[in-house]
């Protein structure tokens, strides 16, 4: 697999943080997932992609956490 | 090191994925899709939309059963809740070919030319080789910061035929 950032520069060596093992890997060794609560792109190592159980559970938990972070301020506001 | 902030996102990401058979392509696609639909609508570009839709739907059912199995076997409350939420999400997505699309369609299977001018996707899966001339109009349908996931090598370069 290889992820490139398109235009103006290709940066396959750009380092990203895997949301599953928290290791820093290059884009070329990553697979894209959903977004962080701040809107930035989240990635995981390619190697996790082929471990079905880890892949599903880890991303499900990540999405739930990010959603909770996104909705937290609104909940506080409504509580006030 | 954290991911780049949203304001510094590149125009697009291009993810070149490798596979050895059409079966592997649909498997990879079905595993990749659940993570990307969370971000926004997706398009699967193919020359046989109905056929690929049917294959992906079958694989999707298998995926749902797998998540159900994981849900049933976990005792951790947080994990269980996340998997339950994942299950609801997976079961709620709408898949369609162009002629049967509705407002609930999140994954559209289409040939490149059949897309409507106003269609915008967070992810476009490219499963057929396209010439540069056919690729450029397709890219207008990809949102900024979106992913072009290519199963045909570097997009816009037409060379060897796809594996059977």
């Amino acid at each position: 697999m290889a992820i490139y950032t398109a235009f103006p520069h290709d940066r396959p060596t750009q380092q990203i943080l895997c949301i599953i093992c928290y290791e820093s890997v290059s884009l070329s060794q990553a697979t894209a997932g959903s977004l962080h609560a701040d809107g930035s792109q989240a990635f995981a190592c390619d190697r996790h992609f082929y471990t079905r159980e880890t892949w599903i559970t880890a991303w499900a938990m990540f999405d739930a956490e990010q959603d909770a972070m996104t909705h937290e301020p609104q909940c506080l506001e409504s509580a006030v | 090191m954290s991911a780049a902030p949203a304001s510094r996102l590149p125009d697009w990401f291009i993810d070149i994925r490798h596979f050895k058979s059409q079966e592997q392509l649909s498997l990879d696609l079905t595993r990749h899709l659940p993570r990307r639909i969370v971000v926004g609508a997706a398009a699967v570009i193919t020359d046989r939309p109905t056929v690929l839709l049917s294959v992906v739907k079958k694989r999707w059912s298998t995926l749902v059963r797998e998540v159900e199995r994981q849900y049933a076997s976990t005792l951790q409350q947080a994990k269980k809740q996340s998997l339950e939420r994942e299950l609801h999400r997976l079961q709620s997505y709408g898949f369609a070919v162009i002629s049967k699309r509705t407002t609930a369609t999140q994954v559209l299977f289409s040939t490149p030319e059949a897309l409507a001018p106003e269609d915008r996707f967070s992810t476009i899966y490219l499963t057929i080789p396209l010439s540069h001339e056919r690729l450029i109009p397709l890219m207008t349908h990809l949102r900024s910061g979106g992913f072009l996931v290519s199963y045909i090598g570097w997009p816009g370069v037409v060379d060897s035929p796809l594996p059977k």
Side-chain angles (χ1 to χ4, degrees):
Chain A
M1 312 301 163
I3 297 177
Y4 298 86
T5 54
F7 318 126
H9 304 294
D10 290 339
R11 288 171 289 181
T13 55
Q14 184 180 333
Q15 295 290 300
I16 53 90
L17 188 72
C18 171
I19 65 104
I20 297 175
C21 65
Y22 305 107
E23 282 179 20
S24 181
V25 291
S26 67
L27 267 181
S28 61
Q29 295 173 306
T31 293
S34 45
L35 305 179
H36 289 276
D38 67 0
S40 60
Q41 179 62 55
F43 296 90
C45 300
D46 262 341
R47 62 193 170 95
H48 302 306
F49 188 78
Y50 304 99
T51 317
R52 196 170 49 182
E53 191 156 340
T54 306
W55 184 255
I56 292 171
T57 308
W59 275 110
M61 292 187 77
F62 172 83
D63 286 344
E65 283 166 17
Q66 301 307 308
D67 261 16
M69 286 166 72
T70 307
H71 294 122
E72 224 165 44
Q74 288 168 8
C75 295
L76 288 173
E77 271 172 29
S78 59
V80 173
Chain B
M1 186 183 292
S2 62
S7 58
R8 293 181 54 209
L9 278 177
D11 286 353
W12 300 306
F13 289 94
I14 298 174
D15 185 354
I16 300 174
R17 304 188 69 78
H18 303 287
F19 68 103
K20 289 176 182 155
S21 66
Q22 287 293 336
E23 249 189 56
Q24 253 190 12
L25 185 156
S26 61
L27 181 62
D28 190 284
L29 181 62
T30 311
R31 265 192 209 176
H32 201 274
L33 254 175
R35 306 279 53 92
R36 295 299 303 165
I37 316 179
V38 181
V39 182
V44 180
I45 302 302
T46 169
D47 50 3
R48 293 185 301 169
T50 309
V51 175
L52 190 53
L53 170 61
S54 161
V55 174
V56 169
K57 270 186 158 177
K58 273 184 196 158
R59 288 203 181 278
W60 200 261
S61 305
T62 309
L63 179 68
V64 168
R65 283 199 298 276
E66 170 64 24
V67 179
E68 283 171 342
R69 191 192 61 75
Q70 285 188 30
Y71 173 79
S73 66
T74 187
L75 296 173
Q76 287 179 39
Q77 198 53 30
K79 200 186 268 190
K80 219 170 172 67
Q81 282 175 354
S82 301
L83 288 170
E84 185 180 20
R85 196 169 160 274
E86 179 79 355
L87 258 179
H88 288 148
R89 279 196 326 103
L90 292 178
Q91 289 167 332
S92 70
Y93 293 132
F95 298 73
V97 293
I98 284 276
S99 60
K100 293 187 179 167
R101 72 190 297 185
T102 66
T103 50
T105 302
Q106 278 117 339
V107 186
L108 190 62
F109 288 72
S110 173
T111 59
E113 287 77 17
L115 295 173
E118 67 275 15
D119 281 334
R120 293 292 178 273
F121 304 98
S122 297
T123 314
I124 295 179
Y125 293 89
L126 186 58
T127 70
I128 50 168
L130 288 186
S131 65
H132 190 72
E133 291 71 26
R134 292 178 76 199
L135 179 69
I136 297 302
L138 178 67
M139 294 305 280
T140 63
H141 297 287
L142 189 59
R143 287 202 178 106
S144 180
F147 268 80
L148 176 70
V149 180
S150 172
Y151 289 100
I152 46 98
W154 191 255
V157 179
V158 182
D159 45 19
S160 55
L162 289 174
K164 296 289 175 196

